[in-house]
Amino acid sequence: MKPILLTALIATVSPIALAQQSATDPTVPTIAKAEQAAMVGASVQAPLPRAIETAVMDDWIENELGSDVHASVIEGARRAYAQTMFEPIWTEDGAKALKSFSRNLFEYGLTRNDVLDANLQTLISKRFESEDDAERAEADLALSAAWLRMAAAISGGMTDEGEADSSEIDAATYSALPENLIEAGKGKVKSALESYEPDYPQYNKLIDALAQYREIRADGGWLAIPDGDVIEAGDTDARIPAIRQRLAAEGYDSERSLITLVASAIKAGSNPDAPAEPVAAASEVNVLDAESVEKEVNPEIYDEKLVNAVKEFQTRQGIEPDGVVGPSTLAAMNESVDSKIARIADSLDRWRHQGAVDKKYVWANIPSYTAEGWKNGRREIAMKTIVGMESRETPIFNDEIEYVVANPNWYAPVSIVKRDKLPKLQRDPGYAQRGNFKIYDRATGEEVSAYSVNWNDPSSAEKYRLVQQSGSNNALGELKIMFPNQYSVYLHGTPSVSLFDKAERAFSSGCVRLENPTEMAKWLAEGDAEANPEVLEDAVEDNLHERFEFASRIPVHITYMTVTVNDDGTVNFWRDIYDRTEGIKQVEKFAPLYEAEEPITTAQNNQG
Amino acid sequence: MLKLIVLAAVWKIAAAAGGATEAETPLQINGEALPYSQWHVMAMPGDTISYDGASRLQPFLDDSSVDSDGSLTAPDQPGIYDLEFRTRSGDVVADLALFVLEPSSRIDADGRLNGYRIGQYPENEPKGFIRLDEGYGDVNVSPSFRIGQFLCKQQPDHWPKYLLISSDNLDRLEHLLAALNEDGITDADTFFVMSGYRTPFYNTAIGSAKLSRHMYGDATDVYVDVSPKDGIMDDVNRDGALNKEDANFFFDYADELFSKGDVSAGGLGSYGSNAVHGPFVHVDGRGRKARWGR
């Protein structure tokens, strides 16, 4: 290859060319209005496009949307108009479809008044009936602004990542905003918007759950159960009929018991073979009749069917599923349907702000105490978790899993040493040996004996490092899964496996403890040539302290969704353990009270 | 006004046939060696186009032999012509797109060029524009790129359209694509050009920078979109995820490649996603080094 001669290269570039090419960097301020007018050339001739052009170049879109959406959304809108020389975007079909869709925003858990500040019918009238071009132009732009607001709401904001090094959302998105806006204007409002919805499987299930609970509300919702004594299986309580109705209203199988018994009694009573064995038949009929009579006159017995329904309810509310109707179960039963709908909407909104999803990711949801591995829209692995206690909340964030450590040592954070270890060491330095801790002088790095340290000195927590060696009682269990972050939070095992039997599991200092960390690590390792499942499992079983880097980083989403949906479509409403959903729009959180006269009335009806 | 200068790096030409002497001497057009046998030439109507090797090469314009002895005259009608140089034995030595430019003096008082809205340049108005009539979008301007990829996204139903391209920038894009293929990073046969030329009208209407290089045709926003072809940058760093890291990887790769000095200096930027596009890399041939976004 012949080298380029610098002299020759310079000689071929004229001074004017050099001047031309010495343009500034892309961070040039916006073009001044006067220069804009010159640069675009004369406006288009047709009256309506001309009026639209005037408004666009006067920054109508920026003035309307500037503080509500990201800059690229505005740029996208300007592109949509500029591409077609400012022809109006909205047809009558499109405008009608837009109005229709705006009335259905509740299907997405969105409130119309929160999303739109314009009266669409007024805009439509102006757009198609006004005799003033400027007014018609503004109306077309306003319809576009309305659609953009809906797109932003449904998508969670259409975030600008800007230059790559300032990006916060670590995922690709492709919006084709100008094209979609133009398609919406032709009538395809809904399909144009649907491309902006999150594609998390849970998001789609929550949309279905929202429809389900809106139907329950339309059917009247349910009534609250009055306070009273704890009810246990077999007990008789005047509130039992109300509890049955309450659970049935939400779709729980709590009403079949009485009907079944009555049907059985009727069937037995009409047995055509009875006369053939008069004595036995009569005896059997008598027994069934006695039972039936008892059931009919006493619907206040807390029977097995209802106990099972209550246990199912408790499971789906994150309450200990013991079948006992105590204060926490009553409180959960008495949450209004409006409150549950608002919580579904809140979870939908949280998914919207999660950013785009990768094919494979870990989802650890704090309130449901679960961690799951998802791939191509399917749940592939699931397990229980223990999360931070109320005073040491697990943070909500996204990151990427980089490596795992089999049989890890635990480097006790200074804060935990101060709060939890110092008191124990002060009482008995032997705690260190029993707990399998080694103690290192931070200044010299040398190991020291716990007995040689004055643990009553408050600064000892900073002077000495406590490192718990791997083993059966190591705080991190047999394995930890790392995605280094500012919170020092990661996934790990735990020796306290009995805690997983609890329904409410907020016990940790902020990390997420996994019921089965090795299984999760093996799932993460599938497809990795070096850190593969077999190698990981061997290391764990052989008690090897070993670190495995993953070739591909896998996203982990630590979320706070108080509503999740099971594969069969049943809905879980977890406890808001960190009080994070106080921001939910004000709705009546409590169902209207079941009236005390009802049980008596029911009893009377049954007697009649 | 500035006459567009076709700048080219010096490269061996891939001659299909001919003696060793011919293979070692790339064809020169207007004194500049062609970097590829498939390339482009720009000229004003009636301009003289000179070439070397008259004794062994015969020019063909739209498949008709042209009598000439080292120079030929560009047609008077602006448009795209096929300009081939063949040896006596009929082998094609160079297959060029000859862009006879529409003079910018024909932009009317409203800023239109035959109805296509150019607007007005704040400075350094180009002398002429490539005229693209319907059906000519597939004309190659280099081995891997076609003229239609660089069109401004305005007036989709209007013909003719007008645009500019930059030889320097195309050389950079070809370099980048060839290297990515050679290193096995992608087998793409071209880049997706998200944004190429922009008229001053369109650039201003969308709220872009006043002196954007896109208005001079020497800036392109590109990404690799082959596997899968879905409108989003491919996972070029092969970490299993589609995100800004792919734009960053692309940037780092291009930055290292361009620093070797085989192509002229220019700008390079890395972008993540937003409401209008996925991750991409901005490449321009501005003539001096500039880097951002990484």
Side-chain angles (χ1 to χ4, degrees):
Chain A
M1 184 179 69
K2 186 176 178 182
I4 299 173
L5 296 178
L6 185 58
T7 305
L9 183 61
I10 291 175
T12 61
V13 179
S14 74
I16 298 176
L18 278 174
Q20 171 187 340
Q21 292 177 9
S22 63
T24 51
D25 286 312
T27 54
V28 174
T30 306
I31 306 168
K33 281 292 181 284
E35 288 179 298
Q36 277 188 6
M39 286 180 69
V40 298
S43 297
V44 297
Q45 291 298 309
L48 181 51
R50 185 186 191 99
I52 291 176
E53 175 171 356
T54 300
V56 169
M57 299 311 299
D58 273 346
D59 295 336
W60 192 97
I61 300 173
E62 283 85 341
N63 295 335
E64 173 72 12
L65 290 168
S67 60
D68 298 337
V69 298
H70 285 256
S72 69
V73 174
I74 294 170
E75 184 199 314
R78 291 180 69 123
R79 282 175 182 264
Y81 280 103
Q83 284 176 12
T84 60
M85 292 298 121
F86 307 101
E87 288 293 324
I89 280 176
W90 294 91
T91 63
E92 286 202 56
D93 283 348
K96 287 173 184 171
L98 184 70
K99 185 172 130 185
S100 175
F101 189 86
S102 75
R103 287 196 293 254
N104 293 334
L105 283 173
F106 48 74
E107 290 178 9
Y108 300 85
L110 297 167
T111 304
R112 189 181 178 287
N113 289 344
D114 286 347
V115 177
L116 299 174
D117 59 2
N119 182 307
L120 293 184
Q121 184 53 56
T122 301
L123 291 178
I124 292 170
S125 298
K126 286 185 181 179
R127 166 68 183 82
F128 296 103
E129 294 163 18
S130 172
E131 292 177 4
D132 182 67
D133 290 327
E135 192 164 72
R136 291 170 62 204
E138 273 199 18
D140 198 88
L141 290 166
L143 290 171
S144 293
W147 185 86
L148 291 168
R149 288 183 190 280
M150 287 189 243
I154 279 181
S155 69
M158 287 193 282
T159 306
D160 276 6
E161 288 188 357
E163 297 177 3
D165 62 4
S166 63
S167 299
E168 289 179 9
I169 294 184
D170 201 33
T173 62
Y174 181 71
S175 300
L177 186 65
E179 292 79 3
N180 282 331
L181 175 53
I182 290 170
E183 285 300 299
K186 295 173 184 171
K188 301 179 179 177
V189 167
K190 185 171 181 179
S191 59
L193 281 170
E194 278 171 350
S195 65
Y196 297 110
E197 284 193 271
D199 56 357
Y200 287 102
Q202 272 293 301
Y203 177 90
N204 296 327
K205 287 186 184 300
L206 284 165
I207 290 284
D208 294 337
L210 181 59
Q212 182 185 332
Y213 275 77
R214 292 184 63 251
E215 267 197 36
I216 293 175
R217 179 172 64 186
D219 287 340
W222 53 74
L223 300 176
I225 312 301
D227 285 339
D229 291 339
V230 168
I231 311 172
E232 296 186 13
D235 284 358
T236 299
D237 192 287
R239 295 168 293 168
I240 294 298
I243 292 173
R244 283 208 181 88
Q245 286 184 40
R246 157 66 183 89
L247 294 182
E250 201 176 356
Y252 290 92
D253 183 7
S254 63
E255 289 284 15
R256 288 186 54 231
S257 183
L258 187 58
I259 294 173
T260 300
L261 287 169
V262 171
S264 297
I266 292 171
K267 181 178 178 182
S270 66
N271 189 338
D273 294 333
E277 304 177 39
V279 174
S283 175
E284 185 173 359
V285 168
N286 286 339
V287 171
L288 287 173
D289 282 349
E291 286 187 20
S292 301
V293 168
E294 185 177 13
K295 296 300 178 188
E296 288 179 27
V297 299
N298 205 349
E300 296 171 0
I301 292 180
Y302 189 25
D303 59 40
E304 184 181 357
K305 174 67 81 174
L306 185 56
V307 170
N308 288 335
V310 167
K311 285 180 177 177
E312 178 69 20
F313 174 84
Q314 288 169 324
T315 298
R316 293 192 211 161
Q317 320 302 308
I319 297 167
E320 209 64 52
D322 53 16
V324 174
V325 181
S328 61
T329 301
L330 271 188
M333 285 188 184
N334 291 347
E335 179 179 5
S336 68
V337 65
D338 284 320
S339 176
K340 288 195 158 180
I341 286 171
R343 287 216 270 150
I344 296 172
D346 174 75
S347 289
L348 282 168
D349 204 53
R350 286 173 187 267
W351 280 114
R352 289 190 182 104
H353 290 90
Q354 274 299 114
V357 65
D358 275 2
K359 291 172 189 169
K360 183 173 182 177
Y361 60 91
V362 172
W363 174 38
N365 189 44
I366 295 163
S368 59
Y369 307 107
T370 54
E372 301 172 349
W374 287 75
K375 187 175 180 183
N376 295 325
R378 287 192 307 274
R379 186 191 339 254
E380 294 198 329
I381 189 172
M383 60 192 67
K384 298 177 180 178
T385 62
I386 291 168
V387 302
M389 60 186 78
E390 287 179 31
S391 59
R392 304 181 195 177
E393 296 180 359
T394 299
I396 298 166
F397 68 106
N398 301 326
D399 212 304
E400 292 179 328
I401 291 167
E402 297 182 16
Y403 64 92
V404 300
V405 180
N407 303 298
N409 295 336
W410 178 48
Y411 300 84
V414 171
S415 60
I416 290 181
V417 172
K418 282 184 175 178
R419 275 185 300 197
D420 300 340
K421 307 307 179 188
L422 237 50
K424 296 183 170 75
L425 289 164
Q426 288 164 4
R427 285 194 297 272
D428 174 15
Y431 166 80
Q433 184 174 2
R434 291 195 302 276
N436 206 13
F437 285 92
K438 290 190 176 182
I439 298 171
Y440 297 91
D441 187 319
R442 287 185 191 267
T444 65
E446 292 177 357
E447 185 180 356
V448 300
S449 164
Y451 290 96
S452 69
V453 176
N454 176 16
W455 296 110
N456 291 292
D457 177 1
S459 66
S460 57
E462 281 101 5
K463 288 180 178 174
Y464 298 96
R465 153 158 275 182
L466 270 67
V467 180
Q468 188 179 39
Q469 307 302 291
S470 61
S472 60
N473 66 341
N474 180 285
L476 305 183
E478 77 253 33
L479 184 139
K480 68 178 182 180
I481 297 171
M482 301 300 294
F483 38 101
N485 54 76
Q486 75 210 67
Y487 311 102
S488 297
V489 158
Y490 44 96
L491 310 178
H492 63 81
T494 176
S496 309
V497 293
S498 62
L499 293 178
F500 287 109
D501 293 334
K502 305 286 189 180
E504 302 186 54
R505 299 188 291 277
F507 302 122
S508 86
S509 295
C511 282
V512 178
R513 303 179 190 171
L514 299 178
E515 183 184 21
N516 244 313
T518 301
E519 291 303 309
M520 179 64 82
K522 287 164 66 180
W523 178 80
L524 290 167
E526 283 170 10
D528 197 297
E530 292 184 16
N532 62 64
E534 292 71 36
V535 169
L536 282 176
E537 189 163 36
D538 289 346
V540 169
E541 289 178 350
D542 294 346
N543 291 313
L544 299 178
H545 174 66
E546 201 164 340
R547 168 169 164 157
F548 298 91
E549 296 275 344
F550 290 126
S552 294
R553 298 183 176 189
I554 294 167
V556 54
H557 304 283
I558 301 185
T559 66
Y560 195 85
M561 310 291 176
T562 65
V563 185
T564 64
V565 186
N566 300 316
D567 291 341
D568 62 1
T570 54
V571 190
N572 307 295
F573 293 88
W574 308 107
R575 304 301 92 200
D576 180 8
I577 58 177
Y578 296 162
D579 280 334
R580 292 290 187 94
T581 56
E582 288 306 316
I584 287 181
K585 275 179 65 66
Q586 279 306 310
V587 295
E588 182 52 59
K589 290 190 186 296
F590 302 104
L593 189 63
Y594 192 102
E595 294 186 1
E597 291 79 10
E598 281 291 316
I600 299 174
T601 303
T602 302
Q604 289 172 347
N605 287 341
N606 284 330
Q607 290 178 19
Chain B
M1 291 195 291
L2 175 70
K3 178 174 181 177
L4 283 179
I5 297 172
V6 178
L7 301 176
V10 178
W11 280 88
K12 290 184 180 179
I13 194 166
T21 305
E22 292 175 347
E24 292 167 4
T25 310
L27 176 63
Q28 292 191 26
I29 300 290
N30 290 333
E32 298 298 327
L34 298 181
Y36 303 92
S37 61
Q38 190 166 39
W39 197 241
H40 57 275
V41 176
M42 285 179 267
M44 296 301 292
D47 264 6
T48 298
I49 302 167
S50 66
Y51 62 95
D52 66 344
S55 61
R56 59 186 173 85
L57 296 175
Q58 180 66 38
F60 286 76
L61 194 62
D62 281 354
D63 228 21
S64 296
S65 176
V66 178
D67 287 336
S68 68
D69 61 351
S71 68
L72 57 106
T73 302
D76 286 332
Q77 175 61 37
I80 299 176
Y81 300 84
D82 182 39
L83 177 58
E84 282 184 354
F85 289 89
R86 305 179 190 174
T87 63
R88 287 195 205 86
S89 58
D91 296 317
V92 177
V93 168
D95 178 7
L96 309 173
L98 171 59
F99 297 124
V100 179
L101 305 180
E102 190 90 64
S104 57
S105 57
R106 296 181 187 176
I107 299 176
D108 65 23
D110 289 344
R112 270 57 164 187
L113 191 51
N114 285 322
Y116 193 71
R117 192 167 175 178
I118 299 290
Q120 182 177 307
Y121 280 80
E123 59 184 51
N124 303 326
E125 183 177 57
K127 188 169 183 183
F129 297 88
I130 297 169
R131 172 179 172 135
L132 188 66
D133 287 289
E134 193 164 14
Y136 282 80
D138 283 344
V139 169
N140 276 82
V141 292
S142 70
S144 310
F145 295 90
R146 289 162 284 100
I147 189 66
Q149 287 174 270
F150 300 91
L151 276 172
C152 182
K153 294 181 171 65
Q154 72 178 59
Q155 293 173 274
D157 299 322
H158 180 88
W159 302 93
K161 301 182 190 296
Y162 291 93
L163 73 156
L164 296 168
I165 57 171
S166 155
S167 301
D168 273 0
N169 200 42
L170 272 164
D171 192 25
R172 290 157 59 83
L173 292 175
E174 285 287 352
H175 254 80
L176 181 54
L177 182 63
L180 287 167
N181 280 330
E182 187 172 326
D183 287 349
I185 289 164
T186 180
D187 58 359
D189 52 24
T190 189
F191 293 135
F192 183 81
V193 178
M194 256 182 51
S195 185
Y197 175 67
R198 287 186 206 138
T199 61
F201 153 73
Y202 190 74
N203 190 68
T204 304
I206 67 174
S208 190
K210 173 182 175 184
L211 298 179
S212 168
R213 300 306 308 165
H214 288 277
M215 296 192 301
Y216 298 94
D218 68 5
T220 46
D221 300 330
V222 296
Y223 56 84
V224 174
D225 183 19
V226 169
S227 178
K229 189 175 179 68
D230 58 357
I232 302 179
M233 166 90 83
D234 288 348
D235 176 27
V236 290
N237 69 349
R238 297 196 180 155
D239 64 354
L242 296 172
N243 53 34
K244 65 181 182 182
E245 295 303 328
D246 296 298
N248 287 340
F249 175 92
F250 202 163
F251 176 104
D252 291 341
Y253 184 93
D255 193 26
E256 183 181 345
L257 177 72
F258 293 159
S259 71
K260 292 173 182 172
D262 294 341
V263 294
S264 60
L268 190 60
S270 177
Y271 289 86
S273 303
N274 70 16
V276 184
H277 56 71
F280 71 93
V281 164
H282 167 109
V283 181
D284 72 47
R286 67 180 64 195
R288 65 175 177 80
K289 182 168 180 174
R291 299 287 182 268
W292 66 93
R294 178 60 169 153

